[in-house]
Amino acid sequence: MTLIIFTGIPSVGKTSIAKELISLAREREISITRVDSDELREQFYREGFNPELEAKIKEKTLESVKQLLQKDCHVISDDLNYYRSMRHDLITLATKQGTNYFIIHVTAPLERALEWNEKRGLPIPQDVIRKVHERFDRFEKYRWDTPLLVIESDKMTTSEAAIFLLQVLYQRFFEKPPPKKEPSLHLPNVVEQLDLFLRSQISSFLSTHPDKKLAKTVNKLRKMVLKKTKKEKLTIDEGKLEFQRLLEQFGIQMD
């Protein structure tokens, strides 16, 4: 079990990246559960924001994380966690449960966050974003408060960020050693590497060709290639060539 602590100002893409990471991990039979304080707030707030309820929200959030860790789940704390004390409470909880924990800082310039928030119809008051940015506790003070990764969400797509994050997490925390009786099980690593490469290629392609039908087709081809790579024990280069062959067969030019 692992506690993944997301942190960052509002509207920089934390939730989008977390959801994409969960989806990618699920395809590899890794289950990750997201605990979102905003969803808890929706249950408690009936007539708008009420600061008097924030202590209760924090208590419920920590309790939800604790219960999931006790069930040996991988958990994402999908919240601002902009005060060092917030991150410390989560780390203390993880330590008491005897689990791994690490911080992922999702960041972007304040101007970009305000711009993205405006494009989303201002779900968060712009002043709130500015205040969180001003009050954000930086990470220089304590070693335990050092992020494992910093994701600059203005420099990569959501898919690229999730793929990068999964690659690091998979290598450091999620990968299970293969059974001694089956040395050939190094092959799923080939499939894993090929999948990460294809997803990155597809993500870049779809960023300039936003079409849901096209996205569905190329992802279907990706899955066909991965299945064939695993079944026929193809190399990564052979898998890439097979994907290119299928693209040409379907009349799709990705270069």
Side-chain angles (χ1 to χ4, degrees):
M1 55 182 174
T2 305
L3 175 59
I4 307 169
I5 303 169
F6 272 47
T7 180
I9 67 174
S11 200
V12 292
K14 295 184 299 298
T15 296
S16 296
I17 294 171
K19 289 181 176 179
E20 181 70 9
L21 173 61
I22 289 171
S23 177
L24 291 174
R26 187 182 300 119
E27 293 183 9
R28 290 154 181 78
E29 299 182 351
I30 298 170
S31 177
I32 306 176
T33 303
R34 187 174 63 92
V35 176
D36 185 347
S37 296
D38 285 341
E39 293 179 358
L40 291 173
R41 288 185 180 94
E42 290 177 2
Q43 298 174 20
F44 279 83
Y45 296 165
R46 303 299 181 187
E47 300 178 357
F49 180 77
N50 184 348
E52 294 181 1
L53 292 175
E54 281 301 294
K56 188 68 173 178
I57 297 296
K58 178 181 177 181
E59 179 184 334
K60 286 288 185 181
T61 299
L62 290 173
E63 183 61 29
S64 296
V65 171
K66 179 180 178 180
Q67 290 177 359
L68 288 165
L69 291 177
Q70 288 176 338
K71 295 178 181 178
D72 290 337
C73 296
H74 297 302
V75 182
I76 291 177
S77 169
D78 182 9
D79 205 345
L80 302 177
N81 291 317
Y82 64 102
Y83 282 144
R84 189 176 295 111
S85 60
M86 298 173 176
R87 303 191 291 266
H88 185 267
D89 286 343
L90 288 163
I91 289 171
T92 299
L93 180 60
T95 301
K96 288 182 177 179
Q97 298 301 315
T99 185
N100 294 317
Y101 67 84
F102 50 88
I103 298 169
I104 303 297
H105 183 204
V106 182
T107 183
L110 174 61
E111 295 75 16
R112 294 302 301 274
L114 295 172
E115 176 187 336
W116 290 336
N117 187 52
E118 186 173 359
K119 287 182 178 179
R120 293 163 55 201
L122 299 174
I124 304 168
Q126 299 285 58
D127 284 344
V128 171
I129 298 178
R130 292 189 182 95
K131 287 179 181 178
V132 172
H133 181 266
E134 291 173 2
R135 299 173 183 175
F136 196 99
D137 283 339
R138 305 303 165 182
F139 305 99
E140 298 86 2
K141 194 169 184 180
Y142 300 106
R143 183 175 296 178
W144 58 262
D145 197 36
T146 302
L148 174 69
L149 289 174
V150 177
I151 302 292
E152 297 180 283
S153 57
D154 61 317
K155 296 181 180 179
M156 59 180 68
T157 66
T158 297
S159 294
E160 288 170 343
I163 289 168
F164 171 62
L165 181 53
L166 179 64
Q167 191 171 26
V168 174
L169 301 185
Y170 198 84
Q171 291 171 352
R172 294 192 57 167
F173 299 103
F174 295 158
E175 191 168 15
K176 298 178 181 179
K180 294 181 179 179
K181 295 183 179 180
E182 298 196 33
S184 63
L185 286 183
H186 70 279
L187 286 171
N189 288 332
V190 172
V191 176
E192 174 71 20
Q193 293 175 40
L194 177 61
D195 190 24
L196 291 170
F197 171 81
L198 295 180
R199 283 183 179 274
S200 179
Q201 294 292 102
I202 291 171
S203 176
S204 297
F205 174 66
L206 292 177
S207 67
T208 56
H209 299 76
D211 183 290
K212 289 184 179 180
K213 186 175 181 181
L214 181 61
K216 185 176 181 180
T217 299
V218 293
N219 276 298
K220 181 179 179 180
L221 297 182
R222 174 184 60 82
K223 292 178 181 179
M224 290 170 61
V225 170
L226 295 177
K227 185 176 181 181
K228 184 172 182 178
T229 298
K230 185 174 183 179
K231 182 178 180 180
E232 299 184 13
K233 301 181 181 180
L234 302 182
T235 65
I236 293 177
D237 287 339
E238 288 170 338
K240 292 178 182 179
L241 289 174
E242 176 64 15
F243 185 63
Q244 187 60 41
R245 185 188 69 79
L246 288 175
L247 289 175
E248 293 174 358
Q249 181 178 326
F250 279 75
I252 300 173
Q253 185 67 38
M254 191 172 285
D255 295 334

